[in-house]
Structure formats: structure tokens, C-alpha cells
Amino acid sequence: MGRKLLLLGPPGAGKGTQAGHIAKLLGIPHISTGDMLRQAVAEETELGMQAKAIMEAGDLVPDDLVTALVIERLAQPDAACGYLLDGYPRNAAQADTLTNTYGDDVIDTAIAVDVESEELVRRILQRAKEQGRTDDTEDVVRNRLNVYQADTEPLIGYYRDRERLAEVDGVGSVDEVFGRIVEALR
Ligand code: AMP
């Protein structure tokens, strides 16, 4: 049986990059709700139209919309033997929905990548500049961080209480952090 993982971490912690590496190493699909939503926005689907302004503001898309996406995705055959969830669940209500729908074993390990917040703002703004992402203004970046701290960070306690938490220091190179994650997953 493959691993059923969740990657938790603040915006700017390098979550997407690490998720890609982990999924490749373990041969499991990388399921990113952010990627799925960005694709919906690009394709101008009904969901995309509903999500666009919310995402641009750095707020959370309504739970029912994202949950429907995830349930559909988890029903695909490639997710039958494991997956890496990236960006879902994002708040306690989503975590409860996931647990209530599939049981506690829906996540065997939640990996929390830890980076303190001033370092994050610095990284995100730097990335925005490099990629010419003018949508990443400082206000939006700070809002994303606030939303993370208010809504998502409590999930660390949620998975710790269920003895499914692995905490990893997220400061260092991509390779260093990846090494720590691999170690934590043993
Ligand atoms: P991410 O790439 O994970 O940072 O996601 C980008 C944006 O998509 C977030 O800022 C949210 O607006 C939205 N999003 C992604 N996942 C979720 C989720 N599980 N619940 C609500 N909104 C989400």
C-alpha cells in the first residue's frame, strides 16, 4: 500500500516544489488543489470564474467547491494506492470532511514544513519580482499568510493529536529540506 500524505506549510515554504519531488520519489500522484483551481481559472470554467477573484485576494475558495474537486480526484484510479495532498485540507472543516468521508487513514502522515513569517514574506516577494507576478503585492502576500495562520496552521495540532504529524525545518536549500522530509517519512 502506498503512502497517503499531506504536505502542510505556509505560502512561500516551497511546498509545491517539495510536493513534486516527494510524489516522484514515492510514485504517487501529487494532488494540488491550488494547481487544479488555477487550471479551472485558465480554462474559464464555472468553478474558475467563481474562484478567480477569491484566489487573487489570497482568500480561501468556499469549502464545498474545493471538496467536490478533491473527492472527484481521489476517485481516480491512480489515487487508489496513495497520493500526496498539497493544499487540501486547508482548514478544520475540510479536515473533518476528509476524515468523516474516508476515515482517519485518509492521511497516514501530515508533513508540516516550518518557516517563520518574515522570511516567508521576503521569499514570496522575491519570487514575485523574478517571475513578474504583479498579483503578489505585499498586501496579498500578508493576507495569504494571515489566512494560513488563522485557518490552516491549526491543522498541525489536528494531525498531532491523531499522531500523524511529522515536522520538518523548512529553512535551507530545496535539497536540504527534501532530505529532511525523506528522513521524516521513514
Ligand atoms: P496554493 O497554490 O495551494 O497556494 O493555492 C492557491 C489558492 O487557491 C489559495 O490561495 C486559495 O485561494 C485557493 N485554494 C487552494 N486550495 C484550497 C483549499 N483547500 N480551500 C480553499 N481554497 C483553496
Side-chain angles (χ1 to χ4, degrees), residues 24-118:
K24 193 170 168 208
L25 177 76
L26 299 178
I28 52 179
H30 170 200
I31 300 180
S32 159
T33 45
D35 286 350
M36 289 157 85
L37 289 167
R38 276 184 289 275
Q39 190 181 344
V41 170
E43 290 172 355
E44 300 184 348
T45 65
E46 185 149 342
L47 169 66
M49 315 267 221
Q50 286 174 280
K52 189 170 192 273
I54 301 171
M55 293 171 71
E56 281 170 357
D59 290 322
L60 294 186
V61 175
D63 292 341
D64 54 341
L65 299 180
V66 188
T67 296
L69 264 186
V70 170
I71 287 182
E72 196 182 308
R73 183 65 187 85
L74 288 176
Q76 301 294 312
D78 67 335
C81 289
Y83 40 77
L84 172 65
L85 289 178
D86 166 12
Y88 188 97
R90 196 105 161 190
N91 58 28
Q94 293 179 9
D96 280 334
T97 300
L98 201 62
T99 304
N100 293 338
T101 307
Y102 300 99
D104 264 328
D105 289 340
V106 66
I107 304 291
D108 71 66
T109 309
I111 308 155
V113 179
D114 190 41
V115 182
E116 57 89 18
S117 61
E118 283 314 308

Side-chain angles (χ1 to χ4, degrees), residues 119-137:
E119 166 71 11
L120 291 170
V121 175
R122 197 189 61 69
R123 284 194 202 179
I124 300 174
L125 291 174
Q126 177 68 27
R127 188 171 67 188
K129 212 161 69 186
E130 284 165 10
Q131 300 176 352
R133 280 176 58 171
T134 47
D135 55 323
D136 267 355
T137 63

Side-chain angles (χ1 to χ4, degrees), residues 148-185:
Y148 174 79
Q149 282 161 355
D151 294 347
T152 311
E153 211 165 54
L155 295 182
I156 293 177
Y158 182 97
Y159 290 104
R160 184 185 289 123
D161 290 347
R162 286 166 176 74
E163 299 184 350
R164 282 155 202 268
L165 184 72
E167 284 183 282
V168 168
D169 177 5
V171 178
S173 68
V174 170
D175 285 349
E176 279 165 349
V177 177
F178 182 58
R180 290 177 200 141
I181 292 173
V182 171
E183 191 59 37
L185 284 175

